[in-house]
Amino acid sequence: MKKILVTGALGQIGTELVRELRLKYGHDNVIASDKNLSDTQKIKALEPFEYADVTNAEELNTIIERHNIDSVFHLAAILSAVGERNPMQCWNVNMTGTLNILEIGVAKKLNRIIIPSSMAVWGDGVSKDMTPQESVLRPTTMYGLTKVCGERLCDYYFLKYGLDTRGLRYPGIISSETLPGGGTTDYAVDIFYKAVKDEDYSCFLSEGTMLPMMYMPDCLKATIDLAEADVSRLQHHSDFNVASFSFNPAQLTKAIQKHKPDFKVVYEPDFRQSIADSWPRTIDDSAARAEWGWQPAYSFEDMVTDMLNKLSQKLK
Ligand code: NAD
Ligand code: AKB
C-alpha cells in the first residue's frame, strides 16, 4: 500500500483513520474523500481531499487515476438507523458504492481494498452470546442486508479476480473526535457528551440492551493490522468477527456515574430498540486472533475514563 484513498473520510471512523494512515504511510500518500461538503474547516484540515460520490463510478475512477491510488479503505456508507428511515438510499450508497470500488479495483489492478462490515449482518437464527465466525446471516435491517451482500461480493471478487479484499465486522465504535453518523449504537457516544455537559440523557435503548462495542484506538488498530496482514495467513477475508467488550446502557451509566455522581439517564426506547434486539450480545473473534493476531488494548473502564477526559478537554 503506497497511495491510499479513504472514502467516507469525514465520518466517525474515516476522520481518525485518515490521520492514523498518514502517520504510517506519509501525509500526502493518503487522499481523503467524501460527498459531504458542509464543513469546510474540517475538509481543509483533512487535505489532500477530493469530493467523490461513491455511487458515481466515473468520479471515483478519475480520482484513483489522478492520484495513482493502489489501495482503498472504503468507508462511505449509510448506517442502520438512517438506513431504516431510507432503505433505498441505504441500498444505493452501500451496494452501488461497494460494486464501483470492486470493479475499479479489478480494472486498475489495485493492491488492496478494505471494506468494513458490521455486527448488523446477524439477525434471527444465531446464538446472541459468543456469536461464532461461521454462522447464519439473516439481518432484519436494510443496512445489515447490504453488509451481508458486501461481504459476499468482496469474497467473490477475491475468488474470481484475485482482488485482495478484506473486511471486519465492527461492533459499535465509541470515539470522541467525530460524532457517529446515524447508527443504533450512537447512544454510547451521545451519552458522554451529555454527561460532560452536566445534562441529563434520554436513552433510545432500554437499560438492559447489551451490545458489543469497541473504542476507536482499537478500531483503528484492527483495521490497519488486518490491512497489513500477510495474505497467506488469512483463511477469511471480508468477514472477520472482531470484539472488545460488551455492556448495556445501565452499566455504562453506572460507570460514568463513578466519575460524575449526579449524572441521570431516563430510558425512552424508540424504533432503534428492535434493531439492537436483533444483534448479538457478545462475539467470538477467535479467527481474527488466530489469523492476524487481533487483540484489543482498551477495557470498558479504560474507555470510559479516556472518553470523559478527552471530551472534558474538547468541550471546555
Ligand atoms: P459515518 O456515517 O460516520 O460516515 C460515513 C461517511 O460516508 C460520511 O462522512 C458521509 O458523508 C459519507 N457518505 C455517505 N454517502 C456517501 C456517498 N454517496 N459518497 C461518498 N461519501 C458518502 O460512518 P462510520 O461510522 O465512519 O462508518 C464507516 C464504515 O464502518 C461503514 O462501512 C460502516 O458501516 C462501518 N461500521 C461502523 C460502525 C460504527 O459504529 N461507527 C460499526 C460497524 C460498522
Ligand atoms: C450502527 O449502529 O448502525 C453501527 C453498526 C454497529 O454497524 N454502529
Side-chain angles (χ1 to χ4, degrees), residues 4-225:
I4 296 170
L5 174 70
V6 179
T7 70
L10 295 174
Q12 186 195 7
I13 299 174
T15 320
E16 298 200 45
L17 184 64
V18 165
R19 196 182 50 212
E20 202 68 17
L21 288 170
R22 284 180 175 161
L23 288 175
K24 287 201 86 147
Y25 291 94
H27 189 272
D28 291 344
N29 292 326
V30 180
I31 310 301
S33 79
D34 205 288
K35 187 191 170 185
N36 180 356
L37 296 183
S38 59
D39 189 342
T40 46
Q41 260 190 338
K42 193 168 176 188
I43 290 172
K44 188 123 197 66
L46 271 188
E47 281 176 351
F49 177 92
E50 293 274 9
Y51 170 87
D53 180 340
V54 296
T55 63
N56 185 328
E58 230 174 271
E59 263 169 32
L60 282 174
N61 206 35
T62 306
I63 292 165
I64 284 171
E65 272 179 8
R66 185 185 304 141
H67 294 279
N68 220 0
I69 296 296
D70 68 25
S71 300
V72 179
F73 287 73
H74 177 51
L75 304 188
I78 302 297
L79 275 71
S80 59
V82 174
E84 282 317 282
R85 289 211 167 100
N86 196 340
M88 282 319 294
Q89 183 201 15
C90 180
W91 176 266
N92 189 31
V93 173
N94 296 8
M95 294 320 309
T96 309
T98 295
L99 267 170
N100 283 342
I101 292 288
L102 293 172
E103 278 293 301
I104 295 171
V106 173
K108 297 261 179 280
K109 297 191 172 38
L110 295 188
N111 174 270
R112 204 145 309 166
I113 293 182
I114 314 301
I115 305 187
S117 184
S118 162
M119 64 171 166
V121 292
W122 287 297
D124 294 340
V126 68
S127 164
K128 293 203 184 306
D129 297 305
M130 290 306 274
T131 304
Q133 178 69 48
E134 316 304 342
S135 46
V136 172
L137 304 177
R138 274 192 206 138
T140 52
T141 59
M142 181 58 91
Y143 173 65
L145 259 153
T146 66
K147 288 296 173 188
V148 174
C149 294
E151 287 183 359
R152 300 322 316 144
L153 274 170
C154 284
D155 277 5
Y156 176 81
Y157 275 71
F158 176 77
L159 290 170
K160 189 165 174 81
Y161 303 110
L163 186 64
D164 190 345
T165 52
R166 306 180 185 194
L168 318 91
R169 292 170 175 161
Y170 294 139
I173 305 300
I174 300 170
S175 67
S176 54
E177 190 164 322
T178 301
L179 281 168
T184 302
T185 58
D186 294 14
Y187 94 84
V189 176
D190 300 343
I191 194 171
F192 283 101
Y193 279 78
K194 291 290 188 185
V196 168
K197 289 193 232 163
D198 292 324
E199 292 172 14
D200 296 350
Y201 181 61
S202 161
C203 183
F204 59 75
L205 297 183
S206 68
E207 57 189 311
T209 310
M210 168 91 72
L211 287 170
M213 302 274 184
M214 180 181 286
Y215 197 32
M216 183 61 88
D218 278 329
C219 168
L220 300 176
K221 183 164 111 67
T223 308
I224 295 175
D225 283 357

